[in-house]
Amino acid sequence: MTNPDRACGEPFRWTGVQAGVSPRQPMCSVDETELRAPLRPASADPDFGLGLPGFTVNYREPEES
């Protein structure tokens, strides 16, 4: 597969996905260039991997002084 950056010269960003790492839901890297989606074997229990730690990144608007 061709890298989109090379094909058109324009970097792409994931939108609508929270930044971080989670074993429960797709998330993106802090710079929004990589999607991180949890995956499990089809034969595994639905709660496979849910004990793994993760993190999220939350953005707050700066307070006016």
Side-chain angles (χ1 to χ4, degrees), residues 15-16 18-19 23 25 61:
T15 59
Q18 187 174 7
Q25 64 188 21
E61 292 290 334

Side-chain angles (χ1 to χ4, degrees), residues 20-42:
V21 174
S22 172
R24 298 169 196 240
Q25 64 188 21
M27 301 185 102
C28 67
S29 58
V30 175
D31 64 0
E32 300 175 337
T33 60
E34 298 176 4
L35 180 66
R36 298 171 177 167
L39 184 65
R40 67 175 171 87

Side-chain angles (χ1 to χ4, degrees), residues 2 7-8 25 48 55 59-60:
T2 304
C8 68
Q25 64 188 21
F48 175 85
F55 71 91
Y59 175 79
R60 280 189 284 190

